[in-house]
Amino acid sequence: MSVEIANVHPTRLELLRLKRRKAMAEGIVDILKKELDALTVALFDFAKEIPSLREQMTSALDQAYNIYVEAEMIVGPRKVKELSLVAQPIDFDIIVSERTGVLGISLPTFELTKEAPSTLGPRFSMIDSPAKLDESTSLIELALTRAVALSQIEASMMEVLDLMSVKKRQVNRIQYKILPQLVAAIRYIQLILEETERQDSIRVRVLQRKRKERALKAT
Amino acid sequence: MKAWKYKRVMPKIITEKLRLIDPKDMKELVGRSIQDLCLALADTVYREEISEIPSDQLSSLSLERAFLRSFMRTCRQIMDHSPKDISFLLSTILMKFEIGTVKTILRAIEANVKIEEMWNLVVPAGNLNEVECRRILENSQDINEAVEALSDSEYGPALLESIKEYEKTGIFLFLETTLDRFVYERLWRSAERLRGLDRKIGKAILGLEIDAVNIRTLLRCKALGIDKEQTKRYLLPVSEVFRESELEAALESADIESAINSLSAAAEFAHARDYRYVLNDLLDEYTSSLSLPHLELTLEKSLLRANLRMLKRYTPFFNIGLILAFLSLKWTEIRNLIVCARGTEGGVSPEKIRELLIFQE
């Protein structure tokens, strides 16, 4: 879209063409700025969710730790350490999919999944462990869910930020490179055309004067 | 009732009971650092075991080991003073700790823990003395070898039987459940071996203890959404009150509250009033708190209360009631000491620590 003045033909047709291009470029900048605004709003919406999610995650972790200590108090730290050696691990997995977000861009979706507990049976000895350990485990799971939600938001924010930087680059290129070049080319053609008009009018006046002189000589 | 056979054990129990820490003193231990706690316990029966802990290894973990060793020493002393049938029962109670040690060894081997690290977890108990524990730990590379090393013990055949299922499924819990079932069945059998009032008290208290394990397992599995067939594998239908059919009926209940109601109906049908008292306490607690950890705490308190109720219902002397009540009080004291030690170490508030303590009313 860039315009080199050296390659510009100073014609009226070219002037009209350049003026149309300038109007179009201004329209594109307008649209890009509106898109940037929409992306900024989306970014702030995502950012607003982060503190509460982070708070929920840390509070779940705090509670889980406190309840874990209480479990150790009830059956003894030795027993809990022992149980942790043979506790059946939970198979957590994160399913990554996509959803359509603002301006139709695809944003990542993370979903935490785990194997159904009913098929696993108890994870540790029911006789040796207190129910507080189950409570602590479920709070850890809650904290994990919050952590996954947090990472989903952060990944979405990264996508939006990437797109914002692309849009910003496009706006800057049009605003600070293409538009000034178009304005300069239009000005150049206008100057050339004005100069040509002036030369033509002088030429016309000279011709008129010569015609008058020839008419006088003839009479 | 032959009162004469208690001539040695009763004075021993009464002396030991007098050595228990007063609830008021126990409450004062709340919030004290581990070092302060050790100093405060210097005048108690735990002095001997605590003094063996090197000062740089002082922690709630080492204290727990010391308390357990002290408990087992007390049990052995009572056993030495007891008549033959009661001595057999006490040996079975001690076997519970031996089974605990076996489970620790098996868990450590299953997890490939280094021997020195394992040694911090193992508390030698019953027939498994330090030398025996070290021999098994050092000579066993895997569970099969450990089970082989334990094959000449009383629970060896049961372990050898369950190792096949473990090899097939890879679920370690089956081994643990086999050991638990073995020891609780033996506990019930040893209660049945008693005679007269001892048999009545023994069956009531030990039956309640075994069924408390079943109640806990059943309610927790229900809360965790574990299916009926899986849960049944971990129940111990040993006693007379909650047999397989009663436990199965409770398993089919829609929720925890109806499961407690179902068990309560079974206890009423069996005319087991101590069970009914315990289950009523549980129902009251659950309807007010809807919390399983609260329920477990209530269960522990109710078991202690049931033990002490026997002393009021029958004469406190010249029967097994006082021995079982003392052991229950002693175990509660050790539990409370661990609560204090770990609570302070873990930075738990004194109010919360006090909430978890259990005292006789």
Side-chain angles (χ1 to χ4, degrees):
Chain A
M1 212 175 175
S2 68
V3 182
E4 290 294 322
I5 288 178
N7 301 330
V8 170
H9 301 292
T11 59
R12 283 191 188 282
L13 199 68
E14 185 70 12
L15 181 68
L16 280 172
R17 211 164 57 85
L18 285 174
K19 277 185 175 171
R20 271 204 303 271
R21 278 173 68 183
K22 186 182 166 238
M24 195 172 73
E26 281 168 347
I28 291 171
V29 168
D30 223 37
I31 291 166
L32 285 174
K33 278 187 173 169
K34 277 179 187 158
E35 283 183 356
L36 256 175
D37 287 346
L39 287 172
T40 313
V41 169
L43 189 75
F44 277 102
D45 283 347
F46 284 136
K48 256 187 238 166
E49 286 179 47
I50 288 180
S52 73
L53 271 175
R54 198 169 282 164
E55 171 68 33
Q56 283 172 25
M57 186 184 73
T58 49
S59 94
L61 281 173
D62 273 351
Q63 277 185 52
Y65 175 73
N66 289 338
I67 292 172
Y68 178 80
V69 172
E70 283 171 27
E72 283 191 324
M73 286 161 73
I74 292 168
V75 291
R78 191 180 62 93
K79 193 71 88 186
V80 175
K81 199 172 176 183
E82 249 183 75
L83 290 169
S84 71
L85 295 176
V86 287
Q88 279 191 50
I90 302 176
D91 275 341
F92 282 112
D93 198 11
I94 294 176
I95 297 172
V96 182
S97 54
E98 282 187 350
R99 71 195 154 101
T100 311
V102 63
L103 300 177
I105 56 168
S106 63
L107 298 173
T109 310
F110 301 151
E111 196 194 340
L112 186 75
T113 57
K114 71 165 189 172
E115 211 174 315
S118 55
T119 57
L120 279 173
R123 289 186 61 220
F124 24 68
S125 165
M126 291 275 149
I127 293 174
D128 293 336
S129 65
K132 290 243 179 214
L133 220 49
D134 299 333
E135 215 173 295
S136 175
T137 312
S138 64
L139 278 165
I140 289 285
E141 278 176 32
L142 181 70
L144 264 177
T145 316
R146 297 286 179 264
V148 169
L150 207 58
S151 49
Q152 179 187 306
I153 285 182
E154 286 191 6
S156 301
M157 281 176 78
M158 293 295 282
E159 287 286 327
V160 171
L161 280 168
D162 275 352
L163 196 65
M164 276 174 80
S165 74
V166 170
K167 298 273 177 202
K168 256 185 189 163
R169 273 203 307 277
Q170 287 173 342
V171 170
N172 286 345
R173 190 174 145 75
I174 296 172
Q175 259 190 331
Y176 301 110
K177 194 169 178 205
I178 295 168
L179 271 174
Q181 278 179 355
L182 282 171
V183 170
I186 288 167
R187 183 80 190 124
Y188 168 73
I189 294 173
Q190 280 172 340
L191 284 173
I192 297 283
L193 288 177
E194 279 168 17
E195 185 58 31
T196 316
E197 261 176 40
R198 265 196 303 278
Q199 283 176 358
D200 284 352
S201 64
I202 289 166
R203 208 173 289 127
V204 166
R205 273 205 298 275
V206 169
L207 281 173
Q208 278 176 347
R209 188 166 46 83
K210 280 184 179 173
R211 205 179 293 145
K212 271 181 190 171
E213 281 171 2
R214 266 204 303 273
L216 277 172
K217 272 181 191 171
T219 55
Chain B
M1 187 176 68
K2 291 175 183 171
W4 191 243
K5 70 175 183 179
Y6 296 102
K7 67 180 188 298
R8 285 180 68 219
V9 71
M10 281 299 138
K12 177 70 186 164
I13 293 286
I14 291 165
T15 320
E16 289 294 334
K17 200 164 173 268
L18 286 172
R19 287 182 182 161
L20 290 173
I21 300 171
D22 191 68
K24 212 173 85 186
D25 295 336
M26 182 66 81
K27 279 176 192 159
E28 281 178 13
L29 294 177
V30 173
R32 288 203 189 184
S33 68
I34 299 281
Q35 283 78 8
D36 283 353
L37 194 69
C38 290
L39 279 175
L41 295 175
D43 295 334
T44 62
V45 286
Y46 306 104
R47 185 185 58 224
E48 195 182 316
E49 280 79 15
I50 289 175
S51 63
E52 287 170 12
I53 307 171
S55 57
D56 60 324
Q57 285 174 22
L58 210 56
S59 66
S60 58
L61 196 74
S62 55
L63 274 181
E64 186 193 347
R65 283 167 57 89
F67 296 146
L68 287 177
R69 282 204 306 271
S70 170
F71 181 78
M72 280 179 275
R73 181 168 55 87
T74 311
C75 276
R76 274 195 303 271
Q77 284 171 358
I78 295 169
M79 246 173 83
D80 293 343
H81 288 77
S82 300
K84 208 174 160 188
D85 53 345
I86 291 174
S87 182
F88 179 73
L89 180 77
L90 291 176
S91 74
T92 312
I93 291 174
L94 264 183
M95 189 180 255
K96 251 170 63 179
F97 292 92
E98 186 178 327
I99 290 290
T101 308
V102 172
K103 285 199 274 186
T104 308
I105 291 172
L106 293 178
R107 282 167 184 161
I109 292 170
E110 168 80 355
N112 278 326
V113 180
K114 286 180 193 157
I115 289 180
E116 286 317 308
E117 213 176 310
M118 277 185 206
W119 201 239
N120 287 330
L121 302 173
V122 176
V123 180
N127 294 325
L128 283 177
N129 54 25
E130 276 195 41
V131 179
E132 189 65 15
C133 287
R134 208 169 261 283
R135 185 185 67 80
I136 298 169
L137 283 171
E138 284 171 354
N139 298 332
S140 309
Q141 297 295 316
D142 56 25
I143 293 290
N144 283 310
E145 286 179 19
V147 169
E148 194 61 43
L150 289 161
S151 60
D152 53 352
S153 62
E154 285 171 82
Y155 35 84
L159 263 179
L160 282 170
E161 194 59 40
S162 66
I163 194 86
K164 291 172 196 159
E165 200 174 3
Y166 163 73
E167 279 173 345
K168 208 162 67 183
T169 59
I171 299 173
F172 184 78
L173 215 49
F174 291 154
L175 282 178
E176 295 186 9
T177 310
T178 302
L179 287 169
D180 291 327
R181 187 165 287 134
F182 172 83
V183 78
Y184 282 108
E185 274 173 1
R186 195 186 140 125
L187 202 61
W188 182 248
R189 275 204 311 274
S190 57
E192 281 189 321
R193 272 177 61 161
L194 297 169
R195 288 176 178 209
L197 186 59
D198 282 349
R199 183 183 159 96
K200 201 173 176 182
I201 296 173
K203 280 176 79 172
I205 294 299
L206 297 172
L208 199 53
E209 193 186 320
I210 296 164
D211 280 327
V213 170
N214 285 328
I215 293 169
R216 275 181 55 187
T217 308
L218 196 146
L219 299 183
R220 267 178 75 186
C221 285
K222 217 158 225 337
L224 291 170
I226 294 165
D227 67 37
K228 195 179 135 189
E229 290 308 311
Q230 286 274 357
T231 309
K232 268 165 76 178
R233 285 170 164 260
Y234 305 104
L235 294 175
L236 316 165
V238 176
S239 82
E240 283 169 353
V241 181
F242 293 159
R243 285 160 304 177
E244 218 164 317
S245 55
E246 281 83 11
L247 292 171
E248 210 157 308
L251 269 174
E252 276 168 8
S253 312
D255 52 26
I256 290 177
E257 202 175 322
S258 44
I260 299 172
N261 278 324
S262 163
L263 291 172
S264 195
E268 199 165 350
F269 184 74
H271 303 292
R273 55 178 162 164
D274 291 302
Y275 277 68
R276 280 209 331 266
Y277 296 147
V278 171
L279 288 162
N280 284 345
D281 287 346
L282 290 186
L283 198 60
D284 289 346
E285 178 59 46
Y286 190 72
T287 44
S288 64
S289 69
L290 294 174
S291 151
L292 224 48
H294 281 97
L295 209 70
E296 281 190 355
L297 193 67
T298 308
L299 189 59
E300 280 189 69
K301 285 178 184 171
S302 300
L303 281 179
L304 180 67
R305 213 176 293 139
N307 261 298
L308 298 173
R309 200 181 295 125
M310 293 296 156
L311 301 183
K312 285 183 188 166
R313 192 178 296 162
Y314 309 104
T315 166
F317 303 109
F318 310 116
N319 63 49
I320 201 171
L322 186 66
I323 302 170
L324 292 177
F326 166 73
L327 288 178
S328 186
L329 283 170
K330 181 79 183 166
W331 182 248
T332 307
E333 179 180 286
I334 285 175
R335 181 201 170 278
N336 285 345
L337 286 171
I338 296 171
V339 167
C340 289
R342 183 63 192 117
T344 314
E345 198 180 56
V348 180
S349 67
E351 292 75 34
K352 189 74 212 175
I353 297 176
R354 273 187 212 105
E355 259 179 48
L356 294 175
L357 295 177
I358 296 175
F359 295 112
Q360 54 170 313
E361 285 148 16

